[in-house]
Amino acid sequence: PKSDPILTKCWIATGSQQINSETDLKLSVVADVRQGNDPVIGAKVKAIVEMPSVGDVDYPPMEMELPDSGTGADFLRNDGIYSR
């Protein structure tokens, strides 16, 4: 029902690559946005990704908008799964 809260589950996807591999990883930031069991369509979803420091180097957080357009890392348009 429309009175249900909108909830988001977020994660980083690596596809079939191992995190500790020698190759450069192509990571996807993914958010599943739902109201009850229904996908939320047309939301404006932003992610703020913080990377760990390496030695004395601190990386600033990256802010990115996650589309639900069916292009790039987002496989299916208007399914409530937003990714980049």
Side-chain angles (χ1 to χ4, degrees):
K2 296 300 176 197
S3 61
D4 287 342
I6 295 175
L7 300 175
T8 304
K9 294 180 185 174
C10 304
W11 65 93
I12 301 289
T14 62
S16 61
Q17 295 175 297
Q18 297 290 329
I19 287 183
N20 292 328
S21 69
E22 295 290 321
T23 60
D24 290 335
L25 288 176
K26 292 184 180 179
L27 303 176
S28 299
V29 179
V30 184
D32 183 359
V33 184
R34 303 219 169 252
Q35 188 168 29
N37 290 323
D38 298 325
V40 174
I41 309 300
K44 184 173 185 178
V45 178
K46 286 189 176 183
I48 298 173
V49 179
E50 295 182 358
M51 299 187 315
S53 299
V54 177
D56 292 335
V57 179
D58 292 327
Y59 295 98
M62 294 187 308
E63 184 174 317
M64 60 185 75
E65 193 162 326
L66 306 180
D68 185 14
S69 60
T71 60
D74 190 63
F75 296 113
L76 188 60
R77 179 183 176 103
N78 292 334
D79 62 352
I81 307 288
Y82 295 76
S83 54
R84 166 156 289 149

